[in-house]
């Protein structure tokens, strides 16, 4: 996968004035963000919904956001594609403060769980259910007590657990994530 040449394509459908299905747009997502500098991850923000059930109207425009937001809207969903470059020493050696700065750039500073006992400096936890699908490459999912390497075609159901992603493969990895707003039960607070 060449991150400079391969683009994410988003096709959005809707309805015309007669209620017939139409293609509203066929282009790259309007919002793409780099986190962690030129060697960091590239976030392609595909779409989000603001409530559940989601309103289906004739022709929704893209919901406006002025910056990258880690989680989905309250009671909503978010789909994004992330290009993870191979992990280098600059990631493995992040301090707790530097990791917090990365999450702050996504509006998710409170999600950061970096610390001395963390198995990876980018450990984080959100009150969401995340469906992660490896599209290309491979990546390692790290949790508090264990890890698993996943490859193209594999699917992760991440249920509000403390976790991090480490691309140890030496090649880029592309994943699609569908994030669903959730709520922790009292025993997990």
């Amino acid at each position: 996968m060449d991150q400079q040449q391969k683009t994410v394509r988003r096709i959005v459908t809707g309805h015309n004035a007669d209620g017939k299905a139409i293609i509203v747009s066929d282009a790259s997502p309007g919002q793409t963000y780099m986190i962690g500098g030129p060697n960091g991850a590239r976030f392609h923000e595909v779409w989000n919904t603001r409530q559940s059930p989601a309103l289906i109207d004739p022709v929704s425009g893209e919901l406006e956001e002025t910056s990258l937001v880690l989680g989905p809207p309250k009671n909503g969903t978010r789909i994004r594609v992330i290009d993870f470059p191979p992990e280098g020493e600059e990631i493995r050696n992040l301090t707790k403060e530097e990791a917090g700065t990365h999450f702050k750039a996504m509006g998710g500073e409170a999600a950061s769980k970096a610390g001395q006992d963390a198995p990876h400096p980018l450990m984080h936890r959100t009150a969401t259910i995340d469906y992660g699908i490896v599209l290309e490459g491979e990546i390692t999912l790290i949790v508090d007590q264990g890890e698993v390497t996943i490859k193209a075609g594999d699917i992760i159901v991440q249920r509000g657990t403390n976790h991090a992603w480490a691309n140890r493969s030496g090649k880029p990895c592309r994943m699609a994530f569908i994030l669903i707003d959730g709520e922790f039960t009292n025993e997990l607070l």
Side-chain angles (χ1 to χ4, degrees):
M1 174 180 72
D2 184 340
Q3 289 180 314
Q4 299 300 318
Q5 295 176 353
K6 189 145 188 148
T7 60
V8 174
R9 180 180 178 199
R10 176 187 70 180
I11 295 103
V12 180
T13 64
H15 300 86
N16 66 15
D18 297 323
K20 299 292 185 185
I22 61 171
I23 304 298
V24 174
S25 68
D26 183 347
S28 296
Q31 299 177 29
T32 300
Y33 302 93
M34 289 293 296
I35 298 296
N39 296 323
R42 182 182 305 266
F43 287 66
H44 306 271
E45 298 299 282
V46 178
W47 198 261
N48 69 66
T49 61
R50 302 271 176 190
Q51 65 187 62
S52 183
L55 291 180
I56 301 170
D57 60 3
V59 183
S60 287
E62 184 170 0
L63 299 171
E64 292 296 323
E65 291 184 331
T66 58
S67 63
L68 179 63
V69 179
L70 182 61
K74 184 72 178 158
N75 298 318
T77 66
R78 179 177 310 281
I79 181 169
R80 69 171 41 116
V81 173
I82 302 178
D83 292 323
F84 292 96
E87 185 176 283
E89 292 300 314
E90 70 276 4
I91 295 295
R92 287 189 283 273
N93 295 324
L94 282 174
T95 66
K96 179 179 181 177
E97 292 74 24
E98 291 168 333
T101 299
H102 285 298
F103 284 102
K104 185 175 183 177
M106 297 180 266
E109 188 173 16
S112 180
K113 303 299 178 200
Q116 291 181 345
D117 296 332
H120 191 276
L122 292 177
M123 296 295 284
H124 63 286
R125 181 178 183 221
T126 56
T128 59
I129 301 293
D130 305 341
Y131 304 139
I133 305 156
V134 180
L135 302 174
E136 299 178 36
E138 69 178 55
I139 199 161
T140 301
L141 169 64
I142 302 166
V143 294
D144 291 331
Q145 296 183 347
E147 60 182 54
V148 62
T149 299
I150 55 176
K151 299 179 180 189
D154 293 343
I155 301 168
I156 293 290
V157 178
Q158 200 286 114
R159 302 176 53 246
T161 57
N162 194 29
H163 69 286
W165 301 100
N167 182 349
R168 301 170 180 158
S169 71
K171 298 177 183 175
C173 175
R174 177 171 277 184
M175 287 187 73
F177 290 94
I178 297 93
L179 296 84
I180 303 166
D181 185 39
E183 186 176 310
F184 290 118
T185 60
N186 286 337
E187 60 266 291
L188 292 178
L189 290 177

